[in-house]
Amino acid sequence: MNFDDVIQGRRSIRAFQPRAVPREVLEDVISLAARAPSSMNTQPWHLHVLTGKPLDRIRAENTERMLAGVPPSKESRGIDAYEGAHRQRQVEIAVQLFEAMGIARDDKEKRQDWILRGFRQFDAPVSIVVTYDRVLQDGDIAQFDCGALVNGLVNAAWSRGLGCVVNSQGIMHSPVVRKHAKIPDDQVIMICVALGYPDEEFPANAVVSHRRPVSELANFVGFEEMSA
């Protein structure tokens, strides 16, 4: 696949084939992703690649805590709720997904099932937990660098026939993830990425989120002088 096909074709995958991903393929994908830029080449990231029983234990405890009403305990900071344009975009993709899945607005059972899928990391055969060095926690650059790595990861995976979804629900209860993934205390859990071979029969996997046009998101300054 050429670069444009990867960028234009990639989409978030929320259901996967029951097919193992070979370790050598994962190592190839990670090797490509690790070419992501980082501040002054600090490369603050670590990847904890999980499959099998350890991942199943994380899924089970995540789900158990969620159903029991245990408050989230993420190590990465978020906000309580989006507002304005950000909320509008959040609702837009939710509507696309629910329409694709045939989930009615008042169907509480199916909506709950969809939420639980997220806590199970969409039953993906692989989860990659992204962490960074705790010594860098007081700044914002390490988190930015991790975002660059994750972007490289999902695109490299797509170029190898794999699908991903960046998934904060999977690390909603970070102590559970830390325990089963054996993450050392000197690392901060940032995010996780569910990964596997896409199930092409799953309706939500065909959903492509809308993107703002360049004219809306980019402000060009000084180009008038160049054309004068």
Side-chain angles (χ1 to χ4, degrees):
M1 298 178 70
N2 67 41
F3 182 77
D4 284 13
D5 288 340
V6 172
I7 300 301
Q8 295 288 352
R10 188 207 64 80
R11 58 190 184 276
S12 291
I13 298 300
R14 296 175 172 87
F16 303 87
Q17 299 176 32
R19 173 184 171 193
V21 182
R23 176 169 172 167
E24 57 269 25
V25 175
L26 292 167
E27 290 181 352
D28 180 38
V29 166
I30 292 169
S31 178
L32 285 173
R35 296 300 306 167
S38 64
S39 176
M40 303 182 199
N41 195 38
T42 49
Q43 303 178 53
W45 47 63
H46 304 272
L47 299 180
H48 302 268
V49 187
L50 306 173
T51 193
K53 291 181 180 179
L55 178 54
D56 287 340
R57 286 192 284 267
I58 291 174
R59 290 192 228 274
E61 286 195 40
N62 244 349
T63 302
E64 180 182 344
R65 288 192 176 205
M66 185 269 180
L67 290 173
V70 177
S73 50
K74 286 199 308 179
E75 296 177 10
S76 56
R77 293 174 298 174
I79 61 172
D80 292 334
Y82 289 114
E83 297 179 356
H86 304 111
R87 173 62 177 167
Q88 181 180 347
R89 295 181 197 121
Q90 180 188 26
V91 170
E92 182 182 77
I93 187 61
V95 169
Q96 286 182 264
L97 290 168
F98 286 176
E99 285 182 349
M101 295 300 299
I103 301 175
R105 186 181 182 87
D106 58 351
D107 192 331
K108 294 182 179 179
E109 183 176 345
K110 285 187 176 181
R111 291 170 76 93
Q112 174 78 340
D113 178 68
W114 184 261
I115 292 171
L116 290 177
R117 288 179 60 83
F119 278 84
R120 298 196 312 267
Q121 300 190 46
F122 298 93
D123 301 318
V126 175
S127 173
I128 300 181
V129 181
V130 181
T131 68
Y132 65 90
D133 296 312
R134 190 175 296 278
V135 69
L136 304 173
Q137 188 173 20
D138 289 342
D140 295 321
I141 299 300
Q143 297 92 318
F144 177 85
D145 291 343
C146 285
L149 177 77
V150 170
N151 181 64
L153 187 68
V154 299
N155 285 318
W158 191 261
S159 76
R160 298 302 191 263
L162 294 161
C164 298
V165 61
V166 182
N167 174 234
S168 64
Q169 291 165 307
I171 48 96
M172 194 67 75
H173 295 283
S174 290
V176 171
V177 179
R178 183 175 295 281
K179 176 177 66 174
H180 294 298
K182 300 179 180 179
I183 298 172
D185 290 337
D186 63 356
Q187 296 175 21
V188 178
I189 297 173
M190 182 72 204
I191 197 70
C192 70
V193 179
L195 180 150
Y197 293 100
D199 177 358
E200 300 295 352
E201 302 301 317
F202 191 74
N205 283 349
V207 171
V208 179
S209 57
H210 302 307
R211 288 295 189 269
R212 297 151 63 196
V214 173
S215 59
E216 181 181 325
L217 64 90
N219 178 35
F220 294 90
V221 179
F223 289 85
E224 300 82 356
E225 299 172 5
M226 293 177 60
S227 59

